[in-house]
Amino acid sequence: MIDIHSHCLPALDDGAKNVSESIDMLTDSYNQGVEKCVCTPHASIHRNDDILRHIDKRNKSIELLKQGIADKNILIPELHYGFEVFIDNDISVYSDIEKMCIDDTKCMLVELSYTKYNEYYPEWLYSLSVKGITPILAHVERYQYFDRLFEELDGFKVIYQINASTLMTSQGKKLLNKLYQSGSTVVGGSDMHNMLFRRSKIAKAYKKVEKIDSEIAQDIFYNNAKRILGI
């Protein structure tokens, strides 16, 4: 499996508090069958300098993690790097915005307000696509206005990400069915933050979806994520 959404880098956002917790999360992820994990710390951008600031903080966190695992005989997923970018303005106007994409791809994980719909969302997402960036909408099940947004994004090149914990529920199954019936591209993700109440449930979610349709399970936990990473 490939985990496209995680908060496992240490001491960076509301995810792993330290290197030890990062290692525990990644070891648990590997043991669940995750081969590749995309680290997507939170980021907000209101000027171009914010992009470079977030990248610098992330790189320092990556180095901390690398140092922490260097002398340990452990197995973890292959790590890839991006951000979960909160959109509250037209981030396409910033000259370095492509650097917020996952690795060297043209795909970016983005987050919207959970409760308040902004009439400019479709325009802002479209502006990213004009720059050649494909938005991956993070945990779409959380947006209270999702039906309206989904209608307004009809015809847009957008990828929809659903959290593993949601895919284990009836709500998640209905949402997955709706997106698949529309021909949308869907990916799963753990959105793991810690080893307590927000740990990865990706293996259990895979098994739940597999019981319904093994091809869909393979698509959302592997094939579609593989295309995002360009591998």
Side-chain angles (χ1 to χ4, degrees):
M1 291 179 289
I2 298 174
D3 187 355
I4 210 73
H5 182 178
S6 73
H7 296 270
C8 56
L9 289 177
L12 195 56
D13 56 6
D14 60 342
K17 295 187 294 296
N18 49 48
V19 171
S20 178
E21 186 169 34
S22 291
I23 291 173
D24 288 344
M25 291 166 66
L26 289 167
T27 301
D28 180 56
S29 181
Y30 182 86
N31 290 338
Q32 291 186 50
V34 174
E35 302 169 22
K36 304 176 190 297
C37 181
V38 185
C39 307
T40 51
H42 291 289
S44 291
I45 304 168
H46 297 99
R47 56 180 183 172
N48 209 62
D49 287 350
D50 288 339
I51 296 172
L52 303 180
R53 177 175 57 83
H54 281 301
I55 291 173
D56 181 60
K57 288 174 63 178
R58 184 189 66 183
N59 289 344
K60 289 176 180 176
S61 181
I62 292 170
E63 285 306 309
L64 277 177
L65 180 58
K66 286 181 176 178
Q67 292 171 17
I69 64 178
D71 299 325
K72 290 182 170 58
N73 184 26
I74 55 173
L75 294 173
I76 63 171
E78 176 182 293
L79 299 182
H80 297 259
Y81 304 102
F83 290 95
E84 181 182 6
V85 184
F86 185 72
I87 294 187
D88 59 359
N89 67 101
D90 184 3
I91 63 173
S92 71
V93 302
Y94 304 115
S95 59
D96 290 324
I97 194 61
E98 291 88 353
K99 294 179 180 179
M100 304 302 283
C101 291
I102 296 170
D103 291 347
D104 295 322
T105 73
K106 288 292 186 177
C107 295
M108 182 190 300
L109 185 69
V110 299
E111 179 182 33
L112 310 178
S113 168
Y114 292 174
T115 58
K116 188 176 181 180
Y117 182 76
N118 190 311
E119 62 180 335
Y120 291 105
Y121 280 155
E123 179 181 328
W124 292 341
L125 294 170
Y126 177 73
S127 295
L128 283 175
S129 67
V130 168
K131 296 197 74 166
I133 296 172
T134 299
I136 306 169
L137 284 183
H139 41 57
V140 294
E141 69 273 13
R142 294 185 181 177
Y143 307 132
Q144 295 180 11
Y145 48 80
F146 178 71
D147 287 342
R148 175 181 177 183
L149 178 66
F150 183 65
E151 288 183 10
E152 296 198 15
L153 292 180
D154 184 36
F156 283 33
K157 188 178 180 181
V158 175
I159 297 171
Y160 297 95
Q161 184 259 311
I162 305 177
N163 281 358
S165 56
T166 300
L167 286 165
M168 297 167 61
T169 67
S170 57
Q171 173 204 5
K173 292 174 185 175
K174 289 179 182 177
L175 178 58
L176 179 60
N177 183 63
K178 174 179 179 175
L179 292 172
Y180 253 81
Q181 290 294 324
S182 72
S184 301
T185 300
V186 184
V187 289
S190 71
D191 194 12
M192 60 179 176
H193 280 66
N194 52 54
M195 286 297 291
L196 297 174
F197 55 93
R198 297 190 71 180
R199 67 187 299 165
S200 175
K201 297 180 181 178
I202 201 164
K204 290 181 178 178
Y206 181 92
K207 290 177 181 176
K208 282 275 187 181
V209 178
E210 187 180 35
K211 287 181 179 179
I212 301 169
D213 191 311
S214 60
E215 290 186 7
I216 291 179
Q218 189 70 3
D219 274 348
I220 68 175
F221 288 108
Y222 185 70
N223 295 331
N224 292 342
K226 187 177 178 182
R227 294 186 191 100
I228 289 170
L229 295 177
I231 55 177

